[in-house]
């Protein structure tokens, strides 16, 4: 049994401020709703941001029809998503393209994944890249700022590069969608769904390869192929990454545990 965090009697701590950075459409509902619910239950203050302040919508195929039943969000997650979708936070997102927008006010910035092609809006955004290049170094320990990314969300970080062309996660240990997971999903559904499971289309690079090539050493990419929950927590930065929807509960739990650790007495 894990020991409970030890804090000083009567201590009070500021509520962590969380931001979900999203495209207008296409993120995975499990990778968004499960962490959102966990952080909400933990009492965190949550906001969303899209390019122009439009309410984000997650991938419809993962929420309804035969695709939902076959490969999409579980029934409980669909319920969580619907509850999240009508929340004040999601209905009134910030705009990450506003000239004075910054990530600095937030203690935790989350990048959900999703393979629907709409997520390219945030993966490719020079505005987001600039914001991340400014914010990510501020998570270097012993900082108390945190970044979390799941699946294709890691690609946003991989593509955020400084003036020397180095990705913000160049020196980090990380995971993302393993190539074998991506290939199984793609080839297993191609006859019915075409290139749906390839964000950049048939023949494009796997997420794993896209991330590996920006790392100082490919061994920094951790590609656990066990379907059980798995996350990677970097040692130098307060950066936690996960592979796919099956990791989301652990992902949220470990982030909450990290925030709790900031208040432990040595």
């Amino acid at each position: 049994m894990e020991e409970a965090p030890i804090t000083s009697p009567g201590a009070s701590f500021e509520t962590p401020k969380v931001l979900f950075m999203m495209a207008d459409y296409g993120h995975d509902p499990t990778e968004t709703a499960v962490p959102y619910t966990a952080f909400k239950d933990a009492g965190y203050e949550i906001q969303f941001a899209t390019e122009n302040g439009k309410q984000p919508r997650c991938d419809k195929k993962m929420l309804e029809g035969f695709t939902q039943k076959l490969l999409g969000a579980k029934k409980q997650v669909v319920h969580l998503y619907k509850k999240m979708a009508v929340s004040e936070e999601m209905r009134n997102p910030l705009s990450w393209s506003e000239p004075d927008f910054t990530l600095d006010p937030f203690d935790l910035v989350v990048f959900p994944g999703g393979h629907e092609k709409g997520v390219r809006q945030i993966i490719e955004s020079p505005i987001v890249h600039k914001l991340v290049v400014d914010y990510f170094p501020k998570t270097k320990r012993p900082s108390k700022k945190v970044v979390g990314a799941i699946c294709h969300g890691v690609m946003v970080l991989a593509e955020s590069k400084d003036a020397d062309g180095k990705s913000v996660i160049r020196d980090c240990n990380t995971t993302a969608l393993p190539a074998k997971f991506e290939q199984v999903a793609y080839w297993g559904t191609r006859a019915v769904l075409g290139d749906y499971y390839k964000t950049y289309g048939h023949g494009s690079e796997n997420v794993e390869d896209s991330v590996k090539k920006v790392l100082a050493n490919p061994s920094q990419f951790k590609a656990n192929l066990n379907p059980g929950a798995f996350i990677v927590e970097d040692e130098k930065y307060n950066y936690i990454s996960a592979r796919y929807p099956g990791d989301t509960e652990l992902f949220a739990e470990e982030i909450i545990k990290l925030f709790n650790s900031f208040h432990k007495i040595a």
Side-chain angles (χ1 to χ4, degrees):
M1 180 180 294
E2 291 187 10
E3 293 183 5
I6 302 172
T7 58
S8 58
S12 61
F13 308 108
E14 288 189 16
T15 301
K17 294 180 175 63
V18 183
L19 181 70
F20 281 78
M21 287 284 284
M22 299 182 71
D24 290 348
Y25 178 76
H27 287 285
D28 185 273
T30 306
E31 294 173 8
T32 310
V34 170
Y36 166 85
T37 303
F39 301 146
K40 190 78 172 174
D41 290 346
Y44 293 3
E45 182 181 315
I46 303 173
Q47 288 185 280
F48 290 81
T50 56
E51 185 167 10
N52 296 302
K54 180 180 179 181
Q55 179 173 351
R57 294 182 300 118
C58 286
D59 186 354
K60 190 176 179 180
K61 282 188 172 67
M62 297 290 98
L63 289 164
E64 57 187 58
F66 84 93
T67 47
Q68 180 269 321
K69 291 179 174 60
L70 183 66
L71 297 162
K74 295 177 181 178
K75 187 176 180 179
Q76 180 186 7
V77 173
V78 173
H79 172 74
L80 294 178
Y81 174 77
K82 289 179 178 178
K83 187 175 179 181
M84 177 182 71
V86 298
S87 68
E88 285 296 314
E89 302 98 330
M90 199 171 194
R91 288 170 56 206
N92 298 284
L94 304 172
S95 166
W96 44 251
S97 64
E98 285 291 324
D100 59 349
F101 181 83
T102 174
L103 298 176
D104 283 349
F106 300 97
D107 305 298
L108 166 63
V109 180
V110 180
F111 295 89
H115 47 262
E116 210 281 336
K117 292 173 177 55
V119 300
R120 287 160 60 168
Q121 178 187 22
I122 190 167
I123 293 173
E124 299 172 356
S125 171
I127 297 171
V128 172
H129 297 165
K130 186 177 179 181
L131 290 167
V132 173
V133 167
D134 177 68
Y135 185 84
F136 194 89
K138 297 170 185 174
T139 68
K140 191 168 186 178
R141 301 185 178 194
S143 166
K144 294 180 181 179
K145 288 188 178 293
V146 180
V147 166
I150 310 176
C151 195
H152 287 64
V154 178
M155 288 186 70
V156 180
L157 305 179
E159 293 300 315
S160 297
K161 299 172 182 176
D162 64 19
D164 295 324
K166 295 178 180 178
S167 169
V168 295
I169 57 170
R170 182 180 187 273
D171 298 318
C172 296
N173 287 328
T174 188
T175 191
L177 182 66
K180 289 188 178 179
F181 282 20
E182 186 171 353
Q183 289 297 312
V184 166
Y186 172 58
W187 290 107
T189 62
R190 189 182 178 200
V192 178
L193 299 177
D195 67 356
Y196 168 67
Y197 269 99
K198 293 293 286 184
T199 306
Y200 283 86
H202 174 69
S204 60
E205 195 170 51
N206 294 315
V207 171
E208 178 177 334
D209 296 327
S210 296
V211 174
K212 271 184 176 178
K213 72 183 184 184
V214 306
L215 302 177
N217 189 310
S219 66
Q220 293 165 221
F221 187 92
K222 310 303 178 183
N224 190 317
L225 300 180
N226 186 321
F230 172 79
I231 62 96
V232 172
E233 181 175 348
D234 188 61
E235 295 178 353
K236 301 185 190 77
Y237 294 84
N238 293 320
Y239 166 51
I240 293 179
S241 55
R243 305 166 301 170
Y244 79 136
D247 297 335
T248 51
E249 288 187 14
L250 180 62
F251 173 76
E253 288 170 6
E254 292 301 315
I255 289 175
I256 291 170
K257 191 184 298 180
L258 179 58
F259 274 107
N260 288 343
S261 75
F262 295 157
H263 308 303
K264 290 177 76 172
I265 297 176

